[in-house]
Amino acid sequence: MKPTEMAKEGAEMTEETEHMIEKNGAKETENVVSAGDAKEMRAVILSGFGGLNKLRVTKKAMPEPQEGEVKIRVKACGLNFLDLMVRQGNIDNPPKTPLVPGFECSGIVEAMGENTKGFEIGDRVMAFVNYNAWAEVVCTPLDYVYNMPDDMTFPEAAAFSMNFVAAYMMLFEVANLREGMSVLVHSAGGGVGQAVAQLCSTIPSVTVFGTASSFKHEAIKDSVTHLFDRNVDYVQEVKKISPEGVDIVLDCLCGENTGKGLGLLRPLGTYILYGSSNMVTGETKSFFSLAKSWWQVEKVNPIKLYEENKVIAGFSLLNLLFKQGRCGQVKTVVEKLFSLYNQKKIKPVVDSLWALEEVKEAMQRIHDRGNIGKLILDVEKSPTPLMASDSTETSEAGEEEEEHEGDNDNKERMPFIQ
Amino acid sequence: MKPTEMAKEGAEMTEETEHMIEKNGAKETENVVSAGDAKEMRAVILSGFGGLNKLRVTKKAMPEPQEGEVKIRVKACGLNFLDLMVRQGNIDNPPKTPLVPGFECSGIVEAMGENTKGFEIGDRVMAFVNYNAWAEVVCTPLDYVYNMPDDMTFPEAAAFSMNFVAAYMMLFEVANLREGMSVLVHSAGGGVGQAVAQLCSTIPSVTVFGTASSFKHEAIKDSVTHLFDRNVDYVQEVKKISPEGVDIVLDCLCGENTGKGLGLLRPLGTYILYGSSNMVTGETKSFFSLAKSWWQVEKVNPIKLYEENKVIAGFSLLNLLFKQGRCGQVKTVVEKLFSLYNQKKIKPVVDSLWALEEVKEAMQRIHDRGNIGKLILDVEKSPTPLMASDSTETSEAGEEEEEHEGDNDNKERMPFIQ
């Protein structure tokens, strides 16, 4: 979006906002859930790129499966930092709005399109979706659907798909994690961070360095060998413990952390960029944050990599799945991961469950980095009753301000913490 | 070296050259070889960075092993493209001249320094040396010395060390070569190229794309799945056969080939830069070639790697060994490679054997890319008698011209082709 368009959007915002907020989301829920052959379903809608006010729950036409597709009655959806960037339009080639966000869910197979083999109605499944996951029903090609292990709960499955597949592929297919190696992971308390820590523990003698907000340290200290506060100079801290650096750096921050991460690599070490959450500074995309992200990223001279014996990689699971057609490879990874789950070597950490109507509070929590593990939208959950002042309204005030979402003042529903 | 210094060097060249060329190298050979407890030995000396005339064979004081070192009576030395770049001073942080070039050799253990365990006098060994390999005797730390397989000849061992270790580590430790993958390698007829092709054949269903001069195609066609002439547009040729590209690109050329190689990668594919032979355009380093190499290398934006799911790596075996202290890891690789050799799955290809006195002709051959497999300096070989006009003299004429070494006019000794 060009700066001029953004300014225009800002001017129109107040009027648009009032039009969009639906205060009776909870009432609609009951109507739809009770209707078995309903023509409509509930879904979270993003009406345009911007702040939390662009999200609401609404009715949509019931989707029906096309050839090769599976129709899933959704039980749980995963919420990722990337969804927050999508909301802001802070991604490459954003799709058109309105759209239903969400890339992963779990649920029960309700129907199949023509030529859709390998599933039966009633199967418990985990699935990737190219948007549209945050709804009561989704249809997605069978290549993106996997039968869940019997012991896995629906929230666990929704917490599993993106984070564990990404963590596994980065550690074992992009890098080559082996006995005795060391790994640095940022946001160690987040969904990917916890998946990385658990997968590292499946290999003997792997040292995990992690950064996380201090209040999470007690909760995650057993999963990470060395924990640092996210505000300290982690380069210094790592070097104090391991002067030679680490073998693998997983970076979801981008910006100046790329240079820092490369600098921390041991010879033959691998730096992997898998996100750019530092691009998010406020509730809406600012031109400043976008420009900063592109200019501050240090470009890498291959001759320097040659002299230093270093590897730099990028990893985007969504592009791999939906743009680059690597479903087959991902399926093999999912099978390996389910096997590790069945052996009780890994187990997704669920931070909290939220009703669809609570998606704004859930997003606020992930923005504030308040979560330990994964945030889940539980489609069958009723929203916690709102308190007197509607948090949705209060969150409009600082719309165009940087760092507005950095505090928790406007959280008035409490999540259901497992 | 600054341009002004290069100009100065050029002016002084004629006088210096006459002073340095020794015409009686062959006679000295006999004297030294016959003396068992000699205080001196023969070695190739690089008197200063520049053209072929900077090389000569001379006597040097016999080296004695320090603590932890092994003294080796050298039988064969490997000649690499990198030695040519060293001669030109076309490397990062070049050492001081005069120096004895050469990074690898094979031979017989003649003595050990204090605290040097694991070897016995008479052992047949392969060794890495941080310069000084092109001599009758070398001393090197025991971490760089490996007992050779019984069936391996000395020329094979000297052809083995750098090329097979580099090829193995790139394919299996930097990249992650597995069944069904595809690999593009430049200079497929060279030492590394042939090692890469053989190692790929140890994994089922690996497709190897290679570039090589057309005259080599008949000789190497069985080792490479798809061969292209080195002057054709290999990007087009690869895409005709595999529109999706390849999984691994090994690049020893640098410059614009980095962008081409990255462009050819499939998702999750790995580009590895392991040399920069395009920096060499003439017999001596030109300011033009050096500047070109640094400016033409396309720097890589990590965000682009993220969007495209790609990996870029650099690999320098010498830095790994001599600057970054990774002898332990290399030793493990050597053991795996010797096992493959003993199983007759790999076998180094020796292009030709040369006496120390023939080092200039050997270097000319590697510069002209005339070799198929490895060039070896055979320390016990007598030079082929010179013809009436000394090739060393004629090679001075075009010293400062680009592309001078591109033709074979000044080759008057014929190599011993195995």
Side-chain angles (χ1 to χ4, degrees):
Chain A
M1 197 187 292
K2 290 171 200 158
T4 50
E5 288 171 304
M6 289 177 62
K8 186 174 156 229
E9 191 199 40
E12 287 171 2
M13 198 159 292
T14 316
E15 189 184 0
E16 195 182 20
T17 300
E18 286 184 11
H19 173 68
M20 283 180 180
I21 295 172
E22 294 189 24
K23 313 227 173 192
N24 58 347
K27 248 184 277 171
E28 286 181 351
T29 311
E30 290 154 37
N31 298 340
V32 176
V33 165
S34 61
D37 56 349
K39 294 271 193 315
E40 291 187 321
M41 61 153 191
R42 280 161 61 235
V44 174
I45 287 275
L46 180 71
S47 58
F49 299 116
L52 292 168
N53 64 311
K54 302 290 185 184
L55 292 164
R56 56 177 174 149
V57 174
T58 190
K59 284 183 185 171
K60 282 204 68 173
M62 177 64 69
E64 293 305 332
Q66 306 299 303
E67 183 171 350
E69 286 190 346
V70 180
K71 180 182 179 185
I72 300 166
R73 174 66 56 176
V74 178
K75 298 289 184 180
C77 316
L79 199 151
N80 296 290
F81 201 92
L82 188 65
D83 297 310
L84 201 147
M85 297 177 71
V86 167
R87 193 198 73 213
Q88 298 189 347
N90 206 347
I91 56 169
D92 196 42
N93 295 318
K96 287 193 178 153
T97 53
L99 59 81
V100 175
F103 299 107
E104 58 183 343
C105 65
S106 59
I108 291 171
V109 174
E110 195 164 270
M112 269 101 63
E114 284 178 54
N115 297 315
T116 309
K117 286 173 187 162
F119 295 95
E120 311 225 351
I121 291 168
D123 277 357
R124 301 169 75 246
V125 293
M126 173 179 103
F128 293 110
V129 202
N130 196 8
Y131 294 97
N132 294 314
W134 295 354
E136 288 181 317
V137 178
V138 301
C139 294
T140 193
L142 65 93
D143 283 342
Y144 301 127
V145 185
Y146 318 89
N147 280 305
M148 286 163 51
D150 293 340
D151 292 342
M152 191 177 267
T153 67
F154 289 116
E156 276 183 340
F160 193 82
S161 31
M162 281 190 59
N163 293 355
F164 273 86
V165 170
Y168 186 96
M169 294 188 85
M170 289 193 288
L171 290 174
F172 297 109
E173 308 212 337
V174 179
N176 200 345
L177 180 66
R178 283 160 293 172
E179 187 168 347
M181 281 186 170
S182 52
V183 178
L184 168 66
V185 62
H186 297 294
S187 303
V192 175
Q194 285 293 291
V196 165
Q198 290 186 20
L199 287 169
C200 285
S201 75
T202 66
I203 305 293
S205 310
V206 171
T207 304
V208 180
F209 297 86
T211 68
S213 306
S214 288
F215 75 90
K216 300 184 186 178
H217 287 203
E218 184 59 27
I220 64 172
K221 68 180 186 328
D222 291 341
S223 61
V224 178
T225 324
H226 304 288
L227 259 177
F228 311 123
D229 185 86
R230 63 183 285 259
N231 297 314
V232 305
D233 178 354
Y234 61 85
V235 173
Q236 289 300 320
E237 297 299 315
V238 170
K239 284 194 168 167
K240 268 186 219 163
I241 297 164
S242 174
E244 237 204 321
V246 297
D247 293 299
I248 300 173
V249 173
L250 303 176
D251 181 18
C252 56
L253 305 173
C254 201
E256 60 177 11
N257 294 283
T258 300
K260 287 183 184 178
L262 277 171
L264 268 180
L265 287 184
R266 301 178 69 189
L268 298 181
T270 304
Y271 164 92
I272 308 178
L273 180 70
Y274 70 96
S276 45
S277 60
N278 270 2
M279 282 168 74
V280 175
T281 53
E283 188 182 332
T284 54
K285 178 174 79 170
S286 74
F287 178 75
F288 175 69
S289 74
L290 193 68
K292 197 175 72 169
S293 73
W294 277 95
W295 289 103
Q296 277 204 346
V297 174
E298 215 174 307
K299 294 191 183 60
V300 178
N301 187 331
I303 292 179
K304 196 167 150 69
L305 297 176
Y306 164 75
E307 284 164 1
E308 298 183 351
N309 277 304
K310 289 182 176 176
V311 184
I312 173 166
F315 183 79
S316 159
L317 179 57
L318 292 182
N319 285 356
L320 200 66
L321 283 167
F322 300 122
K323 287 188 184 169
Q324 295 157 3
R326 285 306 187 99
C327 311
Q329 196 168 351
V330 170
K331 194 158 217 139
T332 309
V333 169
V334 169
E335 283 159 12
K336 288 178 187 165
L337 285 166
F338 281 167
S339 165
L340 289 171
Y341 178 86
N342 287 331
Q343 295 167 55
K344 300 197 191 307
K345 290 186 176 170
I346 56 175
K347 187 178 176 64
V349 176
V350 175
D351 172 72
S352 48
L353 302 178
W354 306 77
L356 290 185
E357 289 74 12
E358 295 166 332
V359 65
K360 294 176 208 181
E361 288 86 342
M363 269 208 177
Q364 186 68 49
R365 184 170 171 85
I366 203 168
H367 182 285
D368 296 342
R369 296 180 164 81
N371 58 305
I372 295 173
K374 187 85 168 195
L375 288 114
I376 297 295
L377 297 179
D378 178 346
V379 178
E380 294 174 359
K381 180 176 181 285
S382 297
T384 310
L386 281 178
M387 293 173 72
S389 79
D390 183 348
S391 69
T392 314
E393 298 292 347
T394 59
S395 76
E396 304 312 317
E399 186 79 0
E400 293 298 313
E401 284 176 27
E402 294 291 322
E403 304 295 347
H404 164 69
E405 286 180 303
D407 55 73
N408 291 346
D409 291 348
N410 60 348
K411 267 210 232 164
E412 302 188 25
R413 285 188 184 114
M414 283 304 293
F416 172 74
I417 311 275
Q418 281 206 317
Chain B
M1 195 187 292
K2 290 172 199 160
T4 48
E5 289 171 303
M6 289 176 63
K8 186 174 156 230
E9 191 200 38
E12 288 171 1
M13 197 160 292
T14 315
E15 190 184 0
E16 196 182 18
T17 301
E18 286 185 10
H19 174 68
M20 282 177 180
I21 296 171
E22 295 191 24
K23 311 227 173 190
N24 57 346
K27 249 184 278 169
E28 285 180 355
T29 311
E30 290 154 38
N31 298 341
V32 176
V33 167
S34 60
D37 56 348
K39 294 269 192 320
E40 290 186 322
M41 61 153 191
R42 281 160 61 234
V44 174
I45 288 275
L46 180 71
S47 57
F49 299 118
L52 292 168
N53 64 310
K54 301 289 186 184
L55 292 164
R56 57 175 173 151
V57 174
T58 189
K59 284 184 185 171
K60 283 203 68 174
M62 176 66 68
E64 293 304 331
Q66 306 298 304
E67 183 171 351
E69 285 189 345
V70 179
K71 180 182 178 183
I72 300 165
R73 172 67 55 176
V74 178
K75 297 290 183 180
C77 316
L79 199 151
N80 295 291
F81 202 91
L82 188 66
D83 297 311
L84 200 149
M85 297 177 72
V86 167
R87 192 199 73 213
Q88 297 189 346
N90 206 346
I91 55 169
D92 196 42
N93 294 319
K96 286 194 178 151
T97 54
L99 59 80
V100 175
F103 298 107
E104 59 184 342
C105 65
S106 59
I108 292 172
V109 174
E110 195 165 273
M112 270 101 64
E114 284 178 55
N115 297 315
T116 310
K117 285 172 188 164
F119 294 95
E120 311 225 350
I121 290 169
D123 277 356
R124 300 170 75 244
V125 293
M126 174 179 103
F128 293 111
V129 201
N130 195 8
Y131 295 96
N132 294 314
W134 295 354
E136 288 180 317
V137 177
V138 301
C139 294
T140 193
L142 64 94
D143 283 343
Y144 300 128
V145 186
Y146 317 89
N147 280 305
M148 285 164 52
D150 292 339
D151 292 342
M152 192 178 265
T153 66
F154 289 116
E156 277 183 339
F160 193 82
S161 31
M162 282 190 59
N163 293 355
F164 273 86
V165 170
Y168 187 95
M169 294 189 85
M170 289 194 287
L171 290 174
F172 298 108
E173 307 212 336
V174 178
N176 201 346
L177 180 66
R178 283 161 294 172
E179 189 168 344
M181 282 187 169
S182 51
V183 178
L184 168 66
V185 62
H186 297 293
S187 305
V192 175
Q194 285 294 292
V196 165
Q198 291 187 20
L199 287 168
C200 284
S201 75
T202 65
I203 305 293
S205 310
V206 171
T207 304
V208 181
F209 296 86
T211 67
S213 306
S214 288
F215 76 90
K216 299 184 187 179
H217 286 202
E218 184 59 28
I220 65 173
K221 69 181 186 327
D222 292 342
S223 61
V224 178
T225 324
H226 303 288
L227 258 178
F228 312 123
D229 185 85
R230 62 183 287 256
N231 297 314
V232 306
D233 178 354
Y234 62 85
V235 173
Q236 290 301 321
E237 297 299 315
V238 170
K239 284 194 168 166
K240 269 187 219 163
I241 296 164
S242 176
E244 237 205 321
V246 297
D247 294 298
I248 300 173
V249 173
L250 303 176
D251 181 17
C252 56
L253 304 173
C254 202
E256 61 178 11
N257 294 284
T258 300
K260 288 183 182 176
L262 277 171
L264 268 180
L265 286 184
R266 301 179 69 190
L268 298 182
T270 304
Y271 164 91
I272 309 178
L273 180 69
Y274 70 96
S276 46
S277 60
N278 270 3
M279 282 168 74
V280 175
T281 52
E283 188 183 331
T284 53
K285 179 174 79 170
S286 75
F287 178 75
F288 176 69
S289 73
L290 193 67
K292 197 174 72 169
S293 73
W294 277 94
W295 290 103
Q296 277 203 346
V297 174
E298 214 175 310
K299 293 192 182 59
V300 179
N301 187 330
I303 292 179
K304 197 167 151 68
L305 297 176
Y306 165 76
E307 284 165 0
E308 299 184 350
N309 278 303
K310 288 182 176 176
V311 184
I312 173 167
F315 184 80
S316 160
L317 179 57
L318 292 183
N319 285 356
L320 202 66
L321 284 167
F322 299 123
K323 286 188 184 169
Q324 296 158 1
R326 285 306 187 100
C327 311
Q329 197 168 350
V330 170
K331 192 157 219 140
T332 309
V333 170
V334 169
E335 282 160 13
K336 288 177 186 165
L337 285 167
F338 281 167
S339 165
L340 288 172
Y341 177 87
N342 286 330
Q343 295 166 54
K344 301 199 190 305
K345 289 187 175 167
I346 56 175
K347 187 176 174 67
V349 177
V350 175
D351 173 73
S352 48
L353 302 177
W354 306 77
L356 291 185
E357 289 74 13
E358 295 167 331
V359 65
K360 294 176 207 180
E361 287 86 344
M363 270 208 175
Q364 186 68 49
R365 184 169 170 87
I366 205 168
H367 182 286
D368 296 341
R369 295 178 165 83
N371 57 305
I372 295 173
K374 188 85 169 195
L375 289 113
I376 297 294
L377 297 179
D378 178 346
V379 178
E380 293 175 358
K381 180 176 180 287
S382 298
T384 308
L386 283 178
M387 291 174 70
S389 79
D390 183 349
S391 69
T392 314
E393 297 292 348
T394 59
S395 76
E396 305 310 319
E399 184 81 358
E400 294 297 313
E401 285 176 27
E402 294 291 322
E403 304 295 348
H404 164 70
E405 287 180 303
D407 55 73
N408 291 344
D409 292 347
N410 60 348
K411 268 207 223 162
E412 302 187 26
R413 284 187 184 115
M414 283 303 293
F416 173 72
I417 312 274
Q418 280 206 318

